[in-house]
């Protein structure tokens, strides 16, 4: 693989900028909607859902710290699998991440429009959250503004993001303080702490929006090529943003459950998300905190919009990296030298985000799909890091994940469980789609690669379609919308064992490179 050229992007981002990108991307629409959804599914035990989800993302974050410090490349979430397992891995990761990131932009903008409707009216036409014509025009206008901000360059983007992120941190902090002042401890035992068992906790992690709310690591890595002193800055920003977000989410969920009026829980936790479509706004109104309801709506419009802005930037750089890997159209790796912006990739990002507002108008409709696709993308990090440790031991690693031999397979197993918990309804079409993409790409490269190169590519990446197929089978056999041939608990055990085997296989079949041609960790 040839050396990358530096100079495409300017290194303007510091530690504060990067931490704000991380926290800002994690803290979007998730806190606004997920509290009621996870309480609906798990009751007070939804606090455990946030804790488990946070720990899972923290483990993956530790692996990303090693990769990000060693290979600070633009759109690097695609580049790690490429360097570890070759072009098929890069293609699949690029496809998964682009779909997930671009749809995240629309999800965040739709969430902002749904909350704005509580203020203005006339933007949402039904209880499913579908937009009116006026609502869709508002969404389109906001996307145009975000596109314009990102087209001006990373400096303008970072300045606006820093201002927005500081504001979107202050409002949830105020919400926590005021709701804890109305805490009813009886709510935590009413109908039982875990009224729907541990399966409810698991379902809330994937389908309730917990994982969706946490998945904001990769925007930090997407702009790695534009970071000053990335070997130090990236690991610190990753850990700081995850830990800060986990603390805020745990406190928000605790405050939400404790402050709920007992009358809302008379019939149990089921249906709570229907009764409280805009959770923190609605509870503020119930408690007579009108000024807090106004602040929540204000933040609810600004916060998701700010996160959409981050993903507009990140998706463009993922598409750039996907193109740079040689597995996507080369036109998208062009960078405007004056503004240091991948213009063509940014334009495609805008088009994809706009497309996702057409067939999927509801925030909740996309959560399972996006959470699963994002977690699959995240799940590629541990096998990539393990393979690179074997195939490129000479690669400088300023940050080395502690207890890597334990944490890497553990992170991969937990990520696999979270994908499984999304349910058969989502995986029954997502996994076949990825398997079809694998077959199409391998067929397309049959003629363009020499026979030896094609065989090496197949050898290095075969674990991925086997992994997709295995998760699909376990999901079909399991209790999460499947046939329940595998009882609850047994499906988790089978998934963990399967994931450990796949991790070992992936680590052993990394792309062998000649040390003299190993790409340097330059930014590009």
């Amino acid at each position: 693989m040839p050396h990358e050229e530096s100079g495409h992007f300017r290194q303007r981002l510091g530690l504060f900028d990067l931490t704000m990108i991380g926290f800002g991307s994690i803290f979007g629409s998730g806190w606004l909607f997920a509290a009621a959804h996870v309480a609906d599914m798990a009751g007070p035990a939804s606090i455990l859902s946030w804790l488990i989800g946070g720990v899972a993302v923290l483990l993956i974050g530790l692996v990303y710290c090693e990769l990000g410090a060693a290979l600070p490349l633009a759109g690097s979430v695609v580049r790690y699998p490429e360097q570890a397992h070759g072009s098929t891995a890069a293609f699949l990761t690029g496809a998964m991440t682009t779909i997930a990131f671009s749809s995240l932009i629309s999800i965040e903008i739709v969430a902002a429009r749904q909350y704005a409707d509580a203020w203005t009216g006339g933007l949402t036409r039904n209880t499913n959250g579908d937009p009116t014509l006026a609502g869709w025009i508002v969404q389109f206008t906001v996307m145009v503004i975000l596109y314009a901000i990102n087209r001006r360059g990373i400096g303008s983007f970072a300045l606006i993001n820093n201002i927005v992120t500081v504001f979107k941190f202050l409002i949830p902090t105020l919400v926590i303080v005021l709701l804890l002042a109305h805490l009813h401890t009886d709510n935590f035992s009413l109908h039982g702490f875990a009224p729907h068992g541990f399966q409810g906790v698991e379902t809330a992690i994937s389908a309730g929006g917990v994982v969706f709310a946490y998945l904001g690591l990769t925007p930090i890595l997407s702009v790695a090529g534009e970071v000053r002193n990335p070997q130090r800055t990236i690991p610190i920003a990753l850990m700081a943003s995850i830990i800060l977000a986990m603390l805020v989410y745990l406190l928000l969920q605790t405050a939400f459950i404790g402050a709920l009026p007992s009358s809302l829980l008379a019939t149990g936790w089921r249906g709570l998300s229907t009764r409280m479509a805009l959770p923190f706004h609605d509870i503020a109104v119930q408690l007579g905190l009108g000024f807090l309801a106004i602040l929540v709506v204000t933040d609810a419009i600004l916060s998701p919009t700010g996160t959409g802005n981050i993903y507009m930037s990140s998706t463009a750089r993922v598409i750039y990296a996907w193109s740079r890997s040689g597995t996507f159209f080369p036109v998208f790796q062009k960078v405007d030298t004056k503004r240091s912006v991948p213009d063509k990739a940014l334009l495609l990002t805008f088009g994809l985000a706009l497309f996702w507002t057409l067939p999927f108008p509801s925030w909740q409709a996309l959560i399972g799909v996006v959470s699963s696709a994002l977690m699959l993308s995240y799940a590629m990090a541990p096998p990539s890091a393990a393979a690179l440790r074997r195939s490129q031991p000479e690669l400088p690693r300023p940050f080395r994940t502690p207890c890597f031999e334990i944490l890497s397979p553990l992170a991969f197993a937990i990520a696999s469980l979270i994908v499984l918990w999304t349910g058969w309804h989502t995986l029954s079409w997502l996994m076949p789609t990825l398997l079809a993409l694998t077959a199409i790409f391998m067929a397309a490269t049959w003629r363009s690669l020499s026979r030896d190169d094609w065989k090496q590519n197949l050898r290095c990446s075969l674990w991925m379609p086997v992994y997709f197929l295995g998760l699909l089978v376990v999901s079909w056999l399991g209790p999460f919308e499947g046939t329940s041939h595998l009882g609850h608990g047994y499906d988790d055990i089978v998934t963990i064992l399967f994931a450990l085997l796949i991790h070992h296989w992936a680590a052993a079949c990394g792309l062998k490179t000649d040390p003299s041609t190993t790409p340097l960790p330059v930014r590009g």
Side-chain angles (χ1 to χ4, degrees), residues 266-508:
T267 58
W269 292 93
R270 288 292 189 197
L272 182 64
S273 59
T274 302
R275 298 193 293 273
M276 304 194 74
L278 306 176
F280 289 103
H281 168 270
D282 293 347
I283 198 171
V285 172
Q286 289 271 350
L287 297 175
L289 301 173
F291 74 97
L292 182 61
I294 293 173
L295 286 176
V296 167
V297 171
T298 303
D299 187 69
I301 297 170
L302 189 62
S303 183
T305 303
T307 302
N309 185 39
I310 293 172
Y311 278 100
M312 181 77 75
S313 171
S314 301
T315 308
R317 283 150 180 82
V318 165
I319 293 172
Y320 161 86
W322 190 12
S323 174
R324 187 92 182 200
S325 73
T327 61
F328 196 53
F329 301 106
V331 67
F332 294 111
Q333 62 183 277
K334 293 182 179 179
V335 177
D336 182 280
T337 55
K338 183 178 180 181
R339 298 187 303 271
S340 296
V341 174
D343 277 352
K344 300 294 190 299
L346 183 61
L347 186 60
L348 177 60
T349 297
F350 175 79
L352 288 172
L354 189 62
F355 166 78
W356 285 111
T357 65
L358 300 177
F360 302 106
S362 170
W363 185 89
Q364 189 61 23
L366 272 173
I367 295 306
V369 176
V370 174
S371 295
S372 186
L374 269 177
M375 186 50 73
L376 277 174
S377 175
Y378 277 43
M380 298 301 107
S384 297
L388 286 170
R389 281 207 173 190
R390 294 193 184 190
S391 63
Q392 297 188 34
E394 74 289 342
L395 184 69
R397 291 173 171 84
F399 179 94
R400 295 182 70 87
T401 303
C403 304
F404 181 85
E405 292 75 12
I406 297 174
L407 291 185
S408 181
L410 179 60
F412 185 65
I414 293 175
S416 302
L417 283 173
I418 292 173
V419 173
L420 178 75
W421 297 340
T422 306
W424 169 252
H425 179 73
T426 296
L427 299 187
S428 63
W429 72 265
L430 180 61
M431 294 305 184
T433 300
L434 293 174
L435 289 168
L437 286 174
T438 305
I440 291 170
F441 183 81
M442 293 303 297
T445 56
W446 172 258
R447 293 185 178 181
S448 60
L449 297 177
S450 66
R451 178 163 296 184
D452 288 342
D453 288 343
W454 191 88
K455 287 181 178 179
Q456 176 182 251
N457 189 32
L458 178 64
R459 178 189 66 81
C460 292
S461 58
L462 185 60
W463 66 271
M464 293 183 73
V466 173
Y467 175 60
F468 299 151
L469 183 61
L471 286 181
L472 182 65
V473 171
V474 176
S475 178
W476 177 67
L477 293 172
F480 293 92
E481 303 170 348
T483 60
S484 295
H485 286 99
L486 276 176
H488 179 63
Y490 292 103
D491 60 324
D492 291 347
I493 294 172
V494 171
T495 301
I496 291 170
L497 294 175
F498 175 66
L500 294 177
L501 287 173
I502 291 293
H503 184 277
H504 179 74
W505 179 11

Side-chain angles (χ1 to χ4, degrees), residues 115-131:
Y115 253 98
D117 184 71
W119 215 350
T120 65
L123 303 179
T124 302
R125 59 186 172 89
N126 54 34
T127 56
N128 292 327
D130 299 339

